[in-house]
Amino acid sequence: HLLRRGATFGLGLDSSREMLQQARRKSFYHGNLIQGDCAALPIRTCAIDFAICSFATSYFPDLRRFAQELSEIMRPAASLFLTDFHPSAHLRGWKRAFRHNDIVVEASSFHYSIDDVCDNFVAQGFELLTRVEACFGEGERRVFEECGKGHLLDQLSREPAIFVCHFKI
């Protein structure tokens, strides 16, 4: 959506070489990809004016350190969007998993409340502008049906699936 509105993809970072290879295959990719650790971001101070952390906060063992690293590399008035798996989804039995060669692999993760996430970022100088706890809806019906799970959409649309937080530094 952002790319259609004129945004450019400048930099992507992941600790996994395999995930970076997947990113290079995306049609929108036209920037630099860096393999690095989010507890020691390999980016100069005040270099970033817009960042998205998509479905990754629950993989960081030290969320405070990640928030501190981001606060150092972001320019004044920069925006940060964090999205992740909703904590209540985990409590309902949802798993952080993917399928590889017909084998289901469950990824280990850390379970933070949304308040914990927000508090860690606010403590590092971020201002929380918006917090959304979103449910699945009609927009996801096709995906559910293609996976043979269309019958679950009505039930799952009553409980939050993800959260999105918009911060400014």
Side-chain angles (χ1 to χ4, degrees):
H1 179 75
L2 294 171
L3 294 171
R4 287 191 305 266
R5 292 179 171 255
T8 57
F9 182 94
L11 175 68
L13 182 129
D14 201 298
S15 62
S16 165
R17 185 173 0 130
E18 293 82 5
M19 290 303 290
L20 293 171
Q21 289 170 343
Q22 290 293 325
R24 283 186 184 92
R25 294 184 185 118
K26 303 286 183 179
S27 62
F28 63 81
Y29 168 70
H30 299 324
N32 295 318
L33 293 175
I34 299 172
Q35 187 173 358
D37 182 354
C38 287
L41 291 169
I43 302 168
R44 67 181 163 77
T45 302
C46 294
I48 306 296
D49 47 20
F50 183 83
I52 299 172
C53 178
S54 182
F55 294 94
T57 55
S58 57
Y59 293 125
F60 304 136
D62 188 348
L63 191 56
R64 183 202 60 80
R65 179 70 185 148
F66 174 59
Q68 181 181 15
E69 286 290 306
L70 279 176
S71 74
E72 292 174 8
I73 67 165
M74 297 189 74
R75 292 183 179 137
S79 281
L80 167 65
F81 284 85
L82 293 178
T83 68
D84 213 330
F85 194 65
H86 196 280
S88 70
H90 172 74
L91 296 174
R92 293 190 311 269
W94 294 16
K95 305 287 185 201
R96 305 276 319 230
F98 60 93
R99 191 174 297 279
H100 178 70
N101 295 332
D102 294 328
I103 297 171
V104 175
V105 178
E106 186 174 342
S108 62
S109 60
F110 301 89
H111 304 288
Y112 302 110
S113 71
I114 301 171
D115 288 337
D116 286 342
V117 172
C118 293
D119 291 349
N120 271 281
F121 281 84
V122 167
Q124 297 304 319
F126 288 88
E127 175 188 1
L128 177 63
L129 300 179
T130 308
R131 172 179 159 169
V132 176
E133 298 177 48
C135 302
F136 290 118
E138 283 304 313
E140 289 77 37
R141 182 166 300 281
R142 183 181 54 79
V143 174
F144 273 76
E145 288 174 353
E146 287 174 0
C147 294
K149 307 279 184 179
H151 62 285
L152 294 176
L153 182 61
D154 289 337
Q155 172 193 345
L156 295 175
S157 66
R158 293 183 216 118
E159 300 286 340
I162 67 167
F163 71 90
V164 180
C165 294
H166 175 198
F167 295 95
K168 273 224 185 273
I169 186 90

